[in-house]
Amino acid sequence: MKIRAAVLEEFAKPLVVQEVDLDGPGPGEVLVRLHACGVCHTDMYTASGADPSGYAPAVLGHEGAGVVEALGEGVTDLAVGDHVVTLFSPQCRECLHCRSDKTNLCLAIREQQNLGHLPDGTTRLHRGEERIRHFMGTSTFAEATVMPSIALAKIDPEAPLDVVATLACGATTGIGAALYVAKVEEGSTAVVFGAGLVGLGAVAGARLAGAERIVCIDLDEGRLAQARAHGATDTFIGGEDAVQKILDMTDGFGADYTFEATGSVKVMRQAVEAARMGWGLATVAGVAGRGEVLEVVPRYLITGRRVAGASFGGAKGRDRVPQLVDLYLKGDLDLEAFVTDRIALDGVNDAFAAMDRHEGVRTVITEF
Protein backbone atom coordinates (compact mmCIF):
# COMPACT_ATOMS: atom_id res chain seq x y z
CA MET A 1 0.00 0.00 0.00
CA LYS A 2 1.05 3.61 -0.52
CA ILE A 3 1.35 5.83 2.57
CA ARG A 4 2.59 9.32 3.38
CA ALA A 5 5.53 9.38 5.76
CA ALA A 6 8.26 11.68 7.07
CA VAL A 7 11.59 10.20 5.95
CA LEU A 8 15.03 10.94 7.33
CA GLU A 9 17.07 11.05 4.13
CA GLU A 10 20.24 12.66 5.51
CA PHE A 11 21.37 13.50 9.01
CA ALA A 12 21.17 17.17 10.00
CA LYS A 13 18.72 17.81 7.15
CA PRO A 14 14.93 18.38 7.38
CA LEU A 15 12.72 15.31 7.17
CA VAL A 16 11.07 14.84 3.78
CA VAL A 17 7.33 14.10 3.78
CA GLN A 18 6.68 11.85 0.80
CA GLU A 19 4.85 8.80 -0.47
CA VAL A 20 6.45 5.43 0.33
CA ASP A 21 5.44 1.79 0.04
CA LEU A 22 4.34 -0.24 3.05
CA ASP A 23 4.00 -4.01 2.74
CA GLY A 24 1.38 -5.90 4.72
CA PRO A 25 2.14 -7.59 8.04
CA GLY A 26 4.13 -10.81 8.16
CA PRO A 27 3.86 -13.53 10.81
CA GLY A 28 3.54 -12.07 14.29
CA GLU A 29 3.08 -8.56 12.89
CA VAL A 30 0.24 -6.04 12.86
CA LEU A 31 -0.75 -3.20 10.52
CA VAL A 32 -1.77 -0.12 12.49
CA ARG A 33 -3.55 2.90 11.03
CA LEU A 34 -2.07 5.82 12.97
CA HIS A 35 -4.30 8.53 14.39
CA ALA A 36 -1.70 10.40 16.44
CA CYS A 37 2.04 10.63 17.00
CA GLY A 38 3.96 12.77 19.44
CA VAL A 39 7.08 14.60 18.25
CA CYS A 40 9.72 13.54 20.77
CA HIS A 41 13.21 14.86 21.47
CA THR A 42 14.60 11.43 20.56
CA ASP A 43 13.34 11.86 16.99
CA MET A 44 15.09 15.23 16.73
CA TYR A 45 18.23 13.80 18.37
CA THR A 46 18.44 11.04 15.77
CA ALA A 47 17.66 13.38 12.86
CA SER A 48 20.50 15.66 13.96
CA GLY A 49 23.08 12.91 13.55
CA ALA A 50 24.08 13.02 17.23
CA ASP A 51 22.74 9.53 17.87
CA PRO A 52 25.59 7.04 17.30
CA SER A 53 23.05 4.30 16.55
CA GLY A 54 21.05 6.33 13.99
CA TYR A 55 20.50 5.19 10.41
CA ALA A 56 19.05 6.52 7.15
CA PRO A 57 16.90 6.40 5.15
CA ALA A 58 14.33 5.73 7.84
CA VAL A 59 10.81 6.76 8.72
CA LEU A 60 11.11 8.42 12.12
CA GLY A 61 8.51 8.64 14.90
CA HIS A 62 7.93 6.39 17.90
CA GLU A 63 5.24 8.00 20.08
CA GLY A 64 2.21 6.68 18.22
CA ALA A 65 -1.37 5.60 18.80
CA GLY A 66 -3.83 4.13 16.33
CA VAL A 67 -6.22 1.36 15.36
CA VAL A 68 -5.38 -2.17 14.26
CA GLU A 69 -6.24 -2.64 10.59
CA ALA A 70 -4.78 -6.04 9.70
CA LEU A 71 -3.16 -9.02 11.43
CA GLY A 72 -0.29 -11.19 10.32
CA GLU A 73 -0.25 -14.96 10.70
CA GLY A 74 -0.22 -16.18 14.27
CA VAL A 75 -1.38 -12.98 15.98
CA THR A 76 -4.02 -13.91 18.54
CA ASP A 77 -3.75 -11.27 21.25
CA LEU A 78 -5.05 -8.41 19.09
CA ALA A 79 -8.04 -7.99 16.78
CA VAL A 80 -8.90 -5.69 13.91
CA GLY A 81 -10.39 -2.52 15.40
CA ASP A 82 -8.41 -2.63 18.63
CA HIS A 83 -7.02 0.69 19.84
CA VAL A 84 -3.30 0.50 20.54
CA VAL A 85 -0.32 2.52 21.73
CA THR A 86 2.98 1.75 20.01
CA LEU A 87 5.89 0.52 22.12
CA PHE A 88 9.49 1.16 21.14
CA SER A 89 10.23 -0.99 24.20
CA PRO A 90 8.41 -4.28 23.49
CA GLN A 91 7.24 -6.93 25.95
CA CYS A 92 7.26 -10.51 24.70
CA ARG A 93 6.41 -11.89 28.17
CA GLU A 94 8.62 -14.91 27.50
CA CYS A 95 12.32 -13.91 27.49
CA LEU A 96 14.52 -13.91 30.59
CA HIS A 97 14.08 -10.16 31.09
CA CYS A 98 10.31 -10.17 30.61
CA ARG A 99 9.99 -12.94 33.21
CA SER A 100 12.01 -10.89 35.70
CA ASP A 101 10.63 -7.99 37.73
CA LYS A 102 14.10 -6.41 37.71
CA THR A 103 13.93 -4.89 34.21
CA ASN A 104 11.63 -3.93 31.36
CA LEU A 105 14.27 -4.38 28.63
CA CYS A 106 12.81 -7.20 26.52
CA LEU A 107 15.39 -9.26 24.63
CA ALA A 108 13.11 -10.85 22.02
CA ILE A 109 13.69 -8.52 19.05
CA ARG A 110 16.34 -6.17 20.38
CA GLU A 111 19.14 -7.02 17.92
CA GLN A 112 17.12 -6.54 14.74
CA GLN A 113 15.23 -3.55 16.15
CA ASN A 114 18.52 -1.76 16.79
CA LEU A 115 19.36 -2.25 13.09
CA GLY A 116 16.05 -0.72 11.95
CA HIS A 117 14.62 -4.09 10.95
CA LEU A 118 11.55 -6.05 11.90
CA PRO A 119 12.23 -9.34 13.75
CA ASP A 120 12.87 -11.35 10.58
CA GLY A 121 15.71 -9.03 9.57
CA THR A 122 13.83 -7.29 6.76
CA THR A 123 11.70 -4.15 6.42
CA ARG A 124 8.14 -3.49 5.28
CA LEU A 125 8.96 0.05 4.19
CA HIS A 126 10.47 0.74 0.76
CA ARG A 127 10.52 2.90 -2.34
CA GLY A 128 10.42 0.40 -5.16
CA GLU A 129 13.52 -1.73 -4.62
CA GLU A 130 15.09 0.64 -2.10
CA ARG A 131 14.45 -0.49 1.48
CA ILE A 132 13.68 2.04 4.20
CA ARG A 133 14.41 1.19 7.80
CA HIS A 134 12.01 1.22 10.75
CA PHE A 135 12.99 3.72 13.44
CA MET A 136 12.98 2.14 16.92
CA GLY A 137 10.81 -0.62 15.49
CA THR A 138 7.89 1.79 15.19
CA SER A 139 8.15 4.42 12.38
CA THR A 140 5.05 6.34 13.40
CA PHE A 141 5.59 9.57 11.44
CA ALA A 142 3.32 7.97 8.85
CA GLU A 143 -0.27 7.22 7.94
CA ALA A 144 0.25 3.58 8.87
CA THR A 145 2.94 1.28 10.18
CA VAL A 146 3.66 -2.43 10.54
CA MET A 147 4.98 -3.59 13.90
CA PRO A 148 5.45 -6.77 15.91
CA SER A 149 2.38 -7.54 18.02
CA ILE A 150 4.58 -7.69 21.13
CA ALA A 151 5.29 -3.97 20.65
CA LEU A 152 1.67 -2.83 20.87
CA ALA A 153 -0.33 -2.11 24.03
CA LYS A 154 -4.08 -2.64 23.71
CA ILE A 155 -5.95 0.17 25.46
CA ASP A 156 -9.48 1.23 26.36
CA PRO A 157 -11.13 2.56 23.15
CA GLU A 158 -12.73 5.36 25.18
CA ALA A 159 -9.34 7.07 25.52
CA PRO A 160 -8.62 9.79 22.91
CA LEU A 161 -5.66 8.62 20.84
CA ASP A 162 -4.16 12.10 20.45
CA VAL A 163 -3.84 12.30 24.24
CA VAL A 164 -2.69 8.79 25.16
CA ALA A 165 -0.06 8.86 22.40
CA THR A 166 2.08 10.68 24.99
CA LEU A 167 2.27 7.37 26.88
CA ALA A 168 4.16 5.77 23.98
CA CYS A 169 7.35 7.41 25.24
CA GLY A 170 7.69 10.67 27.17
CA ALA A 171 4.91 10.52 29.74
CA THR A 172 5.49 6.87 30.62
CA THR A 173 9.25 7.44 30.85
CA GLY A 174 8.75 10.12 33.50
CA ILE A 175 5.84 8.57 35.38
CA GLY A 176 7.53 5.17 35.37
CA ALA A 177 10.84 6.60 36.57
CA ALA A 178 9.03 7.62 39.75
CA LEU A 179 6.66 4.66 40.14
CA TYR A 180 8.55 1.68 38.71
CA VAL A 181 12.27 2.53 38.90
CA ALA A 182 12.72 4.77 41.93
CA LYS A 183 9.53 3.50 43.60
CA VAL A 184 9.02 6.79 45.39
CA GLU A 185 7.75 6.36 48.92
CA GLU A 186 4.87 8.21 50.54
CA GLY A 187 5.94 11.26 52.53
CA SER A 188 9.31 11.56 50.78
CA THR A 189 11.00 14.48 49.03
CA ALA A 190 11.58 14.29 45.26
CA VAL A 191 13.46 16.70 43.01
CA VAL A 192 12.95 16.73 39.24
CA PHE A 193 15.50 18.41 36.96
CA GLY A 194 13.74 19.40 33.72
CA ALA A 195 10.09 20.18 33.03
CA GLY A 196 9.63 18.80 29.53
CA LEU A 197 7.27 15.87 29.06
CA VAL A 198 9.55 13.38 30.84
CA GLY A 199 10.14 15.71 33.76
CA LEU A 200 6.46 16.58 34.10
CA GLY A 201 5.73 12.86 34.01
CA ALA A 202 8.16 12.36 36.89
CA VAL A 203 6.40 15.12 38.84
CA ALA A 204 3.04 13.43 38.21
CA GLY A 205 4.48 10.03 39.15
CA ALA A 206 5.92 11.36 42.40
CA ARG A 207 2.54 12.89 43.21
CA LEU A 208 0.75 9.61 42.50
CA ALA A 209 3.24 7.84 44.79
CA GLY A 210 2.44 10.23 47.65
CA ALA A 211 5.63 12.29 47.83
CA GLU A 212 5.17 15.08 50.38
CA ARG A 213 7.48 17.55 48.69
CA ILE A 214 8.15 17.71 44.95
CA VAL A 215 10.66 20.26 43.69
CA CYS A 216 10.97 20.93 39.96
CA ILE A 217 13.82 22.81 38.31
CA ASP A 218 13.86 24.17 34.75
CA LEU A 219 15.15 27.14 32.76
CA ASP A 220 11.67 28.25 31.67
CA GLU A 221 9.10 29.76 34.01
CA GLY A 222 6.24 28.66 31.77
CA ARG A 223 7.25 25.03 32.13
CA LEU A 224 7.62 25.45 35.88
CA ALA A 225 4.01 26.67 35.98
CA GLN A 226 3.07 23.40 34.24
CA ALA A 227 5.05 21.50 36.89
CA ARG A 228 3.08 23.18 39.66
CA ALA A 229 -0.15 22.20 37.93
CA HIS A 230 0.97 18.56 37.93
CA GLY A 231 1.88 18.50 41.61
CA ALA A 232 5.19 20.29 42.18
CA THR A 233 5.19 21.98 45.59
CA ASP A 234 8.31 24.06 44.90
CA THR A 235 9.93 25.30 41.68
CA PHE A 236 12.92 27.41 40.71
CA ILE A 237 15.03 28.35 37.71
CA GLY A 238 18.04 26.08 37.33
CA GLY A 239 21.68 27.08 37.32
CA GLU A 240 25.07 26.38 38.85
CA ASP A 241 23.63 26.86 42.35
CA ALA A 242 20.83 24.28 41.97
CA VAL A 243 22.48 21.68 44.22
CA GLN A 244 23.10 24.19 47.00
CA LYS A 245 19.49 25.35 46.82
CA ILE A 246 18.28 21.77 47.23
CA LEU A 247 20.62 21.23 50.18
CA ASP A 248 19.34 24.43 51.77
CA MET A 249 15.76 23.19 51.34
CA THR A 250 16.51 19.82 52.94
CA ASP A 251 18.52 20.73 56.07
CA GLY A 252 21.75 20.05 54.20
CA PHE A 253 21.04 16.40 53.45
CA GLY A 254 19.55 16.41 49.92
CA ALA A 255 16.41 14.83 48.48
CA ASP A 256 15.28 11.23 48.94
CA TYR A 257 14.79 10.94 45.18
CA THR A 258 16.12 13.01 42.30
CA PHE A 259 15.23 12.68 38.64
CA GLU A 260 17.17 13.98 35.64
CA ALA A 261 15.09 14.63 32.53
CA THR A 262 17.23 16.99 30.44
CA GLY A 263 19.89 14.90 28.69
CA SER A 264 22.63 17.19 30.04
CA VAL A 265 25.49 15.37 31.75
CA LYS A 266 26.07 18.47 33.90
CA VAL A 267 22.50 18.24 35.16
CA MET A 268 22.90 14.48 35.67
CA ARG A 269 25.80 15.26 37.99
CA GLN A 270 23.66 17.81 39.83
CA ALA A 271 20.98 15.14 40.29
CA VAL A 272 23.53 12.84 41.93
CA GLU A 273 24.93 15.57 44.16
CA ALA A 274 21.44 16.73 45.20
CA ALA A 275 20.45 13.22 46.34
CA ARG A 276 20.32 12.59 50.06
CA MET A 277 23.36 11.37 51.94
CA GLY A 278 22.70 7.87 53.24
CA TRP A 279 19.99 6.68 50.87
CA GLY A 280 19.30 9.18 48.09
CA LEU A 281 18.54 7.72 44.67
CA ALA A 282 19.28 9.67 41.48
CA THR A 283 17.36 8.34 38.46
CA VAL A 284 18.66 9.34 35.02
CA ALA A 285 16.02 9.43 32.27
CA GLY A 286 17.57 11.91 29.81
CA VAL A 287 19.58 10.87 26.75
CA ALA A 288 23.08 12.35 26.60
CA GLY A 289 24.91 13.25 23.40
CA ARG A 290 27.38 11.11 21.50
CA GLY A 291 30.55 10.43 23.52
CA GLU A 292 29.44 12.32 26.62
CA VAL A 293 30.14 10.82 30.05
CA LEU A 294 28.72 11.33 33.51
CA GLU A 295 31.38 12.33 36.04
CA VAL A 296 30.57 11.41 39.63
CA VAL A 297 32.84 12.06 42.60
CA PRO A 298 33.10 8.62 44.30
CA ARG A 299 32.56 10.19 47.72
CA TYR A 300 28.93 10.81 46.82
CA LEU A 301 28.41 7.09 46.25
CA ILE A 302 30.45 5.94 49.22
CA THR A 303 28.25 8.07 51.47
CA GLY A 304 25.14 6.22 50.38
CA ARG A 305 23.83 7.76 47.20
CA ARG A 306 22.81 5.51 44.31
CA VAL A 307 22.31 6.06 40.58
CA ALA A 308 19.73 4.29 38.39
CA GLY A 309 18.76 4.54 34.74
CA ALA A 310 15.20 4.62 33.41
CA SER A 311 14.55 3.37 29.89
CA PHE A 312 10.84 3.89 29.18
CA GLY A 313 10.48 4.45 32.90
CA GLY A 314 11.09 0.79 33.66
CA ALA A 315 7.61 0.05 32.30
CA LYS A 316 6.69 -3.30 30.80
CA GLY A 317 4.58 -1.60 28.19
CA ARG A 318 1.85 -4.09 27.35
CA ASP A 319 1.02 -4.34 31.06
CA ARG A 320 1.69 -0.83 32.31
CA VAL A 321 0.47 1.47 29.51
CA PRO A 322 -3.16 0.23 29.72
CA GLN A 323 -3.02 0.83 33.49
CA LEU A 324 -1.82 4.41 32.94
CA VAL A 325 -4.60 4.95 30.39
CA ASP A 326 -7.08 3.82 33.03
CA LEU A 327 -5.61 6.31 35.53
CA TYR A 328 -6.14 9.03 32.94
CA LEU A 329 -9.74 7.98 32.31
CA LYS A 330 -10.42 8.00 36.06
CA GLY A 331 -9.10 11.55 36.32
CA ASP A 332 -6.01 10.72 38.36
CA LEU A 333 -3.56 11.62 35.58
CA ASP A 334 -3.88 14.77 33.46
CA LEU A 335 -2.40 13.68 30.15
CA GLU A 336 -4.33 16.30 28.19
CA ALA A 337 -2.27 19.08 29.72
CA PHE A 338 0.86 17.53 28.19
CA VAL A 339 -0.43 18.14 24.64
CA THR A 340 0.23 21.79 23.83
CA ASP A 341 -0.07 21.72 20.04
CA ARG A 342 -1.64 19.55 17.34
CA ILE A 343 -0.27 19.67 13.79
CA ALA A 344 -0.31 17.96 10.41
CA LEU A 345 2.53 15.64 9.34
CA ASP A 346 3.80 18.33 6.96
CA GLY A 347 4.67 20.49 9.98
CA VAL A 348 7.02 17.99 11.60
CA ASN A 349 10.16 20.05 10.93
CA ASP A 350 8.50 23.12 12.44
CA ALA A 351 7.74 21.01 15.50
CA PHE A 352 11.44 20.14 15.79
CA ALA A 353 12.30 23.84 15.63
CA ALA A 354 9.75 24.68 18.34
CA MET A 355 11.17 21.91 20.52
CA ASP A 356 14.65 23.31 20.07
CA ARG A 357 13.29 26.65 21.33
CA HIS A 358 11.77 24.85 24.35
CA GLU A 359 8.26 25.86 23.33
CA GLY A 360 5.34 23.89 24.71
CA VAL A 361 5.42 20.39 26.19
CA ARG A 362 4.38 17.96 23.47
CA THR A 363 3.37 18.56 19.86
CA VAL A 364 1.20 15.75 18.49
CA ILE A 365 0.68 14.98 14.80
CA THR A 366 -3.02 14.31 14.22
CA GLU A 367 -3.32 14.81 10.46
CA PHE A 368 -1.40 12.55 8.11
Side-chain angles (χ1 to χ4, degrees):
M1 61 187 294
K2 299 285 188 181
I3 62 167
R4 294 182 78 244
V7 180
L8 172 63
E9 300 282 10
E10 296 181 60
F11 295 116
K13 299 288 186 181
L15 303 188
V16 182
V17 178
Q18 60 190 269
E19 188 175 78
V20 301
D21 298 302
L22 177 67
D23 296 334
E29 298 170 0
V30 177
L31 173 65
V32 177
R33 179 67 58 174
L34 291 158
H35 288 232
C37 181
V39 182
C40 178
H41 184 271
T42 303
D43 300 302
M44 184 172 70
Y45 173 67
T46 298
S48 73
D51 182 356
S53 61
Y55 38 76
V59 173
L60 296 190
H62 64 287
E63 204 172 79
V67 178
V68 173
E69 198 166 271
L71 305 175
E73 180 184 348
V75 176
T76 59
D77 52 346
L78 291 169
V80 172
D82 282 345
H83 287 214
V84 292
V85 168
T86 64
L87 302 172
F88 72 89
S89 182
Q91 182 189 358
C92 73
R93 296 179 172 148
E94 298 177 358
C95 73
L96 177 65
H97 281 191
C98 280
R99 287 183 283 110
S100 169
D101 61 2
K102 297 178 181 179
T103 183
N104 65 320
L105 299 179
C106 177
L107 299 171
I109 62 175
R110 193 173 184 84
E111 183 177 353
Q112 292 299 332
Q113 183 180 7
N114 287 342
L115 296 173
H117 300 154
L118 291 183
D120 66 357
T122 65
T123 75
R124 303 293 165 268
L125 291 161
H126 59 100
R127 287 178 295 212
E129 297 299 316
E130 180 189 17
R131 308 311 298 186
I132 301 174
R133 289 200 262 183
H134 299 254
F135 179 62
M136 298 178 70
T138 53
S139 287
T140 50
F141 284 170
E143 291 180 295
T145 189
V146 168
M147 295 179 56
S149 65
I150 63 171
L152 292 166
K154 180 180 175 181
I155 62 167
D156 190 323
E158 292 299 313
L161 294 171
D162 61 332
V163 174
V164 297
T166 59
L167 292 171
C169 180
T172 299
T173 298
I175 296 166
L179 295 181
Y180 315 137
V181 177
K183 299 179 181 176
V184 170
E185 294 179 326
E186 188 173 354
S188 61
T189 296
V191 173
V192 179
F193 290 83
L197 181 52
V198 174
L200 293 176
V203 169
R207 174 185 57 78
L208 288 170
E212 181 177 346
R213 194 172 192 183
I214 305 170
V215 183
C216 189
I217 306 162
D218 197 86
L219 299 177
D220 182 81
E221 182 55 49
R223 287 190 169 189
L224 291 178
Q226 284 266 9
R228 292 190 290 272
H230 285 284
T233 58
D234 304 83
T235 60
F236 64 84
I237 297 293
E240 296 295 327
D241 61 346
V243 173
Q244 188 59 51
K245 285 185 177 180
I246 295 301
L247 294 176
D248 292 343
M249 297 168 74
T250 56
D251 298 323
F253 289 108
D256 300 304
Y257 304 95
T258 64
F259 300 91
E260 181 282 325
T262 70
S264 165
V265 293
K266 291 183 179 179
V267 176
M268 292 175 190
R269 179 169 179 168
Q270 287 184 323
V272 175
E273 296 180 355
R276 194 192 194 285
M277 180 181 71
W279 62 72
L281 175 62
T283 300
V284 176
V287 179
R290 184 199 302 261
E292 292 186 307
V293 297
L294 168 58
E295 294 184 351
V296 177
V297 176
R299 177 174 58 84
Y300 285 99
L301 305 181
I302 292 169
T303 49
R305 297 163 186 83
R306 296 167 295 139
V307 181
S311 175
F312 197 44
K316 294 180 185 289
R318 293 166 73 194
D319 295 337
R320 293 296 195 182
V321 168
Q323 294 171 3
L324 294 176
V325 169
D326 291 343
L327 283 176
Y328 159 69
L329 290 173
K330 287 191 295 184
D332 294 331
L333 188 58
D334 186 8
L335 296 177
E336 292 185 34
F338 293 150
V339 182
T340 49
D341 199 9
R342 292 169 172 82
I343 63 168
L345 181 62
D346 294 293
V348 63
N349 292 305
D350 293 333
F352 281 166
M355 187 184 304
D356 200 40
R357 295 191 298 268
H358 303 286
E359 294 177 3
V361 178
R362 180 59 94 236
T363 296
V364 176
I365 297 168
T366 56
E367 297 177 33
F368 296 89

